[in-house]
Amino acid sequence: MRTSILAALWLVLRRDLLLAFRRPGHIVQPLAFFAVVAMLFPLGFTPELARLRDIAPGVLWVAALLSSLLALEFLFRDDAQDGTLEQFVLSGQSLTALLFARTLSHWLLTGLPLALMAPLLGVALGVPLAAMPGILGALALGTVSLSLIGAIGAGLTLGVRRGGVLLSLLTLPLAVPVLVFGARATELAIQGGAMAGPMYLLAALAVFGLTLAPLAAAAAVRIGLE
Amino acid sequence: MDWTWFHRLASPPYIYRLAATLTPWFAWPAGLLIAAGLYGGLVLAPPDYQQGDGFRIIYVHAPSAWLSLMIYSVMATAAAVGLIWRMKVAHAAAASCAGIGAWFTVVSLVTGMLWGKPMWGTYWVWDPRLTAQLILLFLYLGYMGLRSGIEDTARADRASAVLAIVGVVNIPIIRFSVEWWNSIHQAPSVMKMDRPSMPAEMLIPLLTMMVGFTLYFAAIMLVRLRAEILRRERSASWAREVVAS
Amino acid sequence: MSEFLSMGGYAAFVWPAYAVTFLAVFVNIWSARRALRRARAHAQRRLGVAGEPS
């Protein structure tokens, strides 16, 4: 009997989480990178917290964007090398759904930890404590879209040797709306303003991505495996 | 309905010959229209009441900005046709668009900067149109990078087609986000370009240039398309007749 | 004529803009024709037919 689609999703998700916890390096490295990039700004700009606060939204979002980009390397590469992706294609399940689960686990392992860590870095950038829930929410929502866009890019560069730079070039322009709305939401959170507007736009991007990106990622992976 | 015309469009030798026949029909009118547009824009059109003769940059800036976006949509359409009907000729057409589009995106940026300096007092402002145009350039570069990064032509075709379609879906979102961003961080020096109407002696040369550049693109694209088809079909028997003559 | 060339004081911006545009126009013509010439030469070598030297 064929496994139902929900059971298949759960199996993929559980497998990814298990694998990740046995190789914690893949979770920790993007987080460490996030912290290092955010640390470079006080060193390169100014140690004054009052001035850092002004650029904090941009710093947090650019650093998050870069570290989620770094984590994309792990999204399909190992699975393509050990044949897991081919098994996905041959399994008779919808590849779109399986890749959706794969992207979801990627978000749980990189996007969500990034969002959870952002308040810590925010403190170092002079962000008031009252802004933390807002920052966490904006990053958690924005990284969903980043993972989804990244899945398309990672799928497309499957067949490219040393595709890291290319992956960034493909993904970053598409991530511009997430950066714009996310940084604005963070800025409003820091200033104590109403951040509903940009949060709705971030949510709209996430919903749009959730509906279309797995389809494109599945097409890309199919082409990459040919 | 008779679909044979559609099947003929999928045939490389037919398209190769059609492209060869059509090229001069686009190239000559393009040359004439661009020459006429240049004369009209540089000589006949009166100086602008605010910008003097500086506004004449519009006659090269607007057509290249138009080409940059139009070529992307032609490329994405061709890519989608290639992906859906597995039509190799359509993929070849998409491949021949990218380089031209990237060139004219650069031209629109540079001419925009040269226009901005006397009008805004600076070469670059983070105006939504300039920013969106810069992102468009990166989309072109990514597309070309992906194409050259995959060695197998058929796979490069299909992967880059997916990217082109993802890009074309995203362009409106990117444009919206950039405009939204700019409306919040309004740069004080940005001058509003929209004026109600242009007098006819300014507008007619502009339209002439736009049509001329569009025909020019068609001619160049057809030449590139032939090169691309020949590169892909160089072992086919029909290619023998074509290259021997 | 010199009045035309001075472009009402905007010569330093108008003429470079036109120069860049027509540089792109001619580079694209040249590179498209070169691509076609190369593809033909390649196909001729591959198919073993001697076309006229181009």
Side-chain angles (χ1 to χ4, degrees):
Chain A
M1 197 186 88
R2 215 177 73 170
T3 328
S4 82
I5 187 94
L6 282 176
L9 288 183
W10 169 241
L11 283 173
V12 171
L13 201 61
R14 206 182 59 151
R15 166 188 169 272
D16 288 340
L17 295 181
L18 263 178
L19 276 177
F21 286 118
R22 290 191 187 148
R23 269 180 307 187
H26 285 189
I27 308 177
V28 176
Q29 280 166 22
L31 290 177
F33 182 78
F34 186 42
V36 170
V37 171
M39 183 195 77
L40 292 177
F41 282 88
L43 291 175
F45 181 57
T46 170
E48 276 174 63
L49 287 183
R51 285 171 71 197
L52 280 173
R53 194 173 303 137
D54 289 342
I55 60 160
V59 172
L60 285 175
W61 273 91
V62 170
L65 199 58
L66 292 178
S67 32
S68 79
L69 203 59
L70 189 77
L72 284 181
E73 293 268 327
F74 308 132
L75 183 52
F76 293 142
R77 192 136 303 166
D78 293 348
D79 284 350
Q81 273 165 7
D82 67 12
T84 309
L85 282 182
E86 277 177 10
Q87 294 302 319
F88 278 8
V89 174
L90 297 173
S91 66
Q93 299 285 355
S94 145
L95 182 61
T96 310
L98 296 180
L99 293 184
F100 176 76
R102 187 76 193 81
T103 313
L104 184 66
S105 68
H106 180 260
W107 176 75
L108 285 174
L109 294 167
T110 61
L112 194 60
L114 282 179
L116 292 173
M117 195 171 146
L120 264 179
L121 298 178
V123 171
L125 294 170
V127 173
L129 282 178
M132 296 313 174
I135 292 180
L136 210 158
L139 269 160
L141 198 50
T143 45
V144 173
S145 308
L146 292 183
S147 286
L148 289 162
I149 297 168
I152 303 176
L156 286 173
T157 49
L158 267 183
V160 183
R161 243 179 294 152
R162 287 188 293 276
V165 180
L166 185 59
L167 177 59
S168 323
L169 183 60
L170 299 188
T171 315
L172 287 177
L174 299 178
V176 164
V178 183
L179 175 71
V180 166
F181 301 138
R184 177 64 184 162
T186 308
E187 195 185 339
L188 287 171
I190 292 174
Q191 293 165 355
M195 55 188 291
M199 285 297 273
Y200 286 144
L201 289 167
L202 274 181
L205 284 182
V207 170
F208 184 67
L210 283 170
T211 45
L212 288 184
L215 283 172
V221 165
R222 273 218 179 82
I223 294 162
L225 290 178
E226 262 168 24
Chain B
M1 193 175 157
D2 185 17
W3 282 92
T4 45
W5 63 272
F6 190 72
H7 294 297
R8 263 198 310 187
L9 282 183
S11 142
Y14 176 75
I15 291 293
Y16 185 93
R17 295 201 179 92
L18 185 67
T21 321
L22 285 180
T23 305
W25 290 96
F26 286 112
W28 286 107
L32 290 176
L33 284 176
I34 291 175
L38 274 179
Y39 184 71
L42 287 173
V43 181
L44 297 183
D48 185 72
Y49 73 105
Q50 268 183 332
Q51 305 186 11
D53 284 318
F55 96 100
R56 292 183 202 279
I57 292 177
I58 200 174
Y59 296 112
V60 286
H61 176 69
S64 43
W66 151 247
L67 273 194
S68 67
L69 269 175
M70 185 205 64
I71 294 176
Y72 200 96
S73 42
V74 170
M75 185 174 88
T77 312
V81 170
L83 203 59
I84 295 166
W85 287 290
R86 296 195 166 241
M87 202 188 267
K88 277 192 277 179
V89 177
H91 283 306
S96 35
C97 286
I100 315 173
W103 260 102
F104 282 95
T105 313
V106 171
V107 168
S108 72
L109 281 168
V110 173
T111 53
M113 287 165 76
L114 286 165
W115 199 0
K117 180 66 183 165
M119 300 307 153
W120 299 333
T122 166
Y123 283 109
W124 186 266
V125 288
W126 288 99
D127 166 84
R129 278 200 248 179
L130 269 72
T131 315
Q133 199 68 8
L134 191 62
I135 297 168
L136 181 66
L137 177 62
F138 293 136
L139 289 177
Y140 271 120
L141 294 180
Y143 178 90
M144 290 158 74
L146 184 63
R147 225 174 218 300
S148 63
I150 304 176
E151 272 178 32
D152 175 47
T153 309
R155 243 174 68 188
D157 279 344
R158 284 153 54 68
S160 60
V162 171
L163 181 67
I165 296 165
V166 171
V168 96
V169 170
N170 266 283
I171 284 176
I173 304 177
I174 293 175
R175 295 222 147 211
F176 167 74
S177 73
V178 170
E179 261 160 42
W180 186 87
W181 160 76
N182 191 260
S183 67
I184 289 160
H185 307 272
Q186 192 65 261
S189 61
V190 174
M191 190 187 58
K192 283 276 167 279
M193 287 310 219
D194 42 17
R195 266 175 294 166
S197 63
M198 230 183 188
E201 58 268 64
M202 285 183 180
L203 187 62
I204 290 170
L206 182 60
L207 295 177
T208 314
M209 284 297 257
M210 306 260 264
V211 177
F213 269 75
T214 310
L215 294 177
Y216 159 84
F217 160 67
I220 294 294
M221 203 276 244
L222 288 175
V223 175
R224 281 201 165 275
L225 177 62
R226 276 160 72 200
E228 194 68 34
I229 291 177
L230 207 52
R231 194 175 68 73
R232 289 151 186 252
E233 301 268 323
R234 59 193 168 211
S235 312
S237 54
W238 68 267
R240 185 181 293 270
E241 301 166 36
V242 167
V243 293
S245 60
Chain C
M1 190 66 197
S2 71
E3 192 191 332
F4 173 71
L5 286 179
S6 76
M7 272 291 143
Y10 290 111
F13 306 104
V14 173
W15 295 121
Y18 278 77
V20 168
T21 309
F22 283 91
L23 175 77
V25 164
F26 286 109
V27 165
N28 271 295
I29 294 177
W30 172 77
S31 76
R33 293 176 62 147
R34 192 186 60 161
L36 183 58
R37 219 167 35 236
R38 285 194 172 173
R40 285 181 74 105
H42 198 96
Q44 279 167 356
R45 250 180 289 133
R46 190 156 170 129
L47 293 163
V49 284
E52 79 274 32
S54 52

